[in-house]
């Protein structure tokens, strides 16, 4: 069966520090991968999605970046965190292409920038 | 670009009653999927129900049903016989190939 792992679960980082959040998927190949951010009590904002290794689409210009070094690995990074980067970050995967399968989510990372 | 709109920031319902959560969408793709997710306070995202753009019948999953009105571009979630455990955030989402976007969510509170 397919599983998605996302870590860490919580993170407190000072302003200006770097960030690296990692997400890996098991039990499937060639997935679409997504990074979402959720501000407190708000909706999910699509940050990045990827349809293959090295292929990243950015939805919101900001100081975050994403990379997909391997088929089932998706990394969210920042060189210098801002206070506004605080939020709940969710990684997800879906079957590539098509429209009839849901996205499966990791447990999320709660990031607090202080 | 795809757009999902949920206009109800919060809803209240009495236990055992039915409630409808609204969702409208906009896309130029003829093929798309509509999804509803539940997010309890733990933060996990729980898939509830799916409706395809070519499906003729409304989807149902237990106490959940999706009222799909294609001409109006709406995909409302109906929860029947509400339970206290239904209190959570609910998100509507739309998928086109390689892209999946979510609405702002509706916080549902079930009153005893």
């Amino acid at each position: 069966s397919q599983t998605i792992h996302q870590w860490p679960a919580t993170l407190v980082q000072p302003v200006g520090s770097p960030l690296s959040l990692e997400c890996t998927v098991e039990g499937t190949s060639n997935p679409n991968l997504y990074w979402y951010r959720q501000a407190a009590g708000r909706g999910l904002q699509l940050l990045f999605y990827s349809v293959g290794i090295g292929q990243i689409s950015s939805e919101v210009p900001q100081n975050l970046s994403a990379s997909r070094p391997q088929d089932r690995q998706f990394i969210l990074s920042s060189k210098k965190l801002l206070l506004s980067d605080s939020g709940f970050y969710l990684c997800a995967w879906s079957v590539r292409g098509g429209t009839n399968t849901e996205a499966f989510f990791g447990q999320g990372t709660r990031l607090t920038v202080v | 670009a795809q757009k999902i709109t949920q206009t109800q920031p919060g809803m209240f319902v009495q236990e055992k009653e039915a409630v409808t959560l609204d969702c409208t969408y906009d896309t130029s793709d003829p093929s798309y999927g509509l999804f509803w997710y539940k997010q309890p306070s733990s933060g996990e995202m729980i898939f509830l129900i799916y409706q395809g753009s070519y499906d003729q019948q409304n989807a149902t999953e237990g106490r959940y049903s999706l009222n799909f009105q294609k001409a109006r571009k709406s995909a409302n979630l109906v929860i029947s016989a509400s339970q206290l455990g239904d209190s959570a955030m609910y998100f509507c989402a739309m998928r086109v190939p390689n892209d999946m976007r979510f609405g702002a969510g509706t916080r549902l509170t079930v009153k005893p």
Side-chain angles (χ1 to χ4, degrees):
Chain A
S1 63
Q2 303 92 353
T3 56
I4 178 168
H5 303 279
Q6 184 183 344
W7 68 94
T10 59
L11 192 58
V12 180
Q13 292 283 101
V15 169
S17 64
L19 173 74
S20 181
L21 302 180
E22 189 162 343
C23 173
T24 60
V25 180
E26 295 178 359
T28 188
S29 298
N30 305 316
N32 287 349
L33 296 172
Y34 310 86
W35 278 110
Y36 294 91
R37 178 170 62 195
Q38 184 179 20
R42 307 289 295 276
L44 273 70
Q45 179 186 34
L46 178 62
L47 300 176
F48 301 95
Y49 68 92
S50 172
V51 300
I53 296 174
Q55 300 178 64
I56 309 294
S57 296
S58 174
E59 289 298 308
V60 183
Q62 57 203 334
N63 68 321
L64 298 174
S65 62
S67 62
R68 185 170 177 173
Q70 301 179 44
D71 181 47
R72 291 170 288 177
Q73 184 185 28
F74 206 23
I75 299 171
L76 182 69
S77 304
S78 173
K79 293 182 179 178
K80 289 186 177 182
L81 283 169
L82 306 172
L83 287 174
S84 58
D85 292 324
S86 294
F88 189 53
Y89 289 81
L90 285 158
C91 179
W93 76 273
S94 69
V95 172
R96 182 175 296 181
T99 61
N100 62 347
T101 55
E102 71 268 34
F104 300 90
F105 284 82
Q107 293 300 301
T109 297
R110 201 164 297 279
L111 172 66
T112 304
V113 182
V114 296
Chain B
Q2 285 61 245
K3 187 176 181 181
I4 295 280
T5 303
Q6 293 180 256
T7 58
Q8 305 157 313
M11 289 282 287
F12 292 88
V13 65
Q14 206 68 35
E15 192 178 9
K16 299 180 185 179
E17 293 186 349
V19 63
T20 299
L21 306 183
D22 294 341
C23 173
T24 58
Y25 61 92
D26 192 22
T27 181
S28 57
D29 282 88
S31 177
Y32 52 89
L34 298 160
F35 302 81
W36 278 91
Y37 284 80
K38 173 184 178 181
Q39 187 185 44
S41 57
S42 61
E44 64 180 310
M45 294 289 286
I46 302 169
F47 164 69
L48 297 177
I49 196 167
Y50 158 80
Q51 179 85 42
S53 58
Y54 296 117
D55 292 344
Q56 296 297 312
Q57 293 190 324
N58 288 341
T60 60
E61 289 286 348
R63 294 186 299 111
Y64 305 108
S65 61
L66 201 153
N67 184 2
F68 181 45
Q69 298 187 45
K70 194 170 183 176
R72 294 187 174 184
K73 294 188 175 181
S74 73
N76 299 338
L77 177 70
V78 181
I79 305 174
S80 63
S82 296
Q83 302 171 357
L84 294 178
D86 293 334
S87 294
M89 281 287 285
Y90 287 81
F91 292 100
C92 180
M94 177 171 63
R95 181 173 178 188
V96 297
N98 302 321
D99 191 345
M100 189 161 189
R101 293 171 193 263
F102 287 77
T106 296
R107 183 172 297 281
L108 177 66
T109 303
V110 181
K111 295 181 176 180

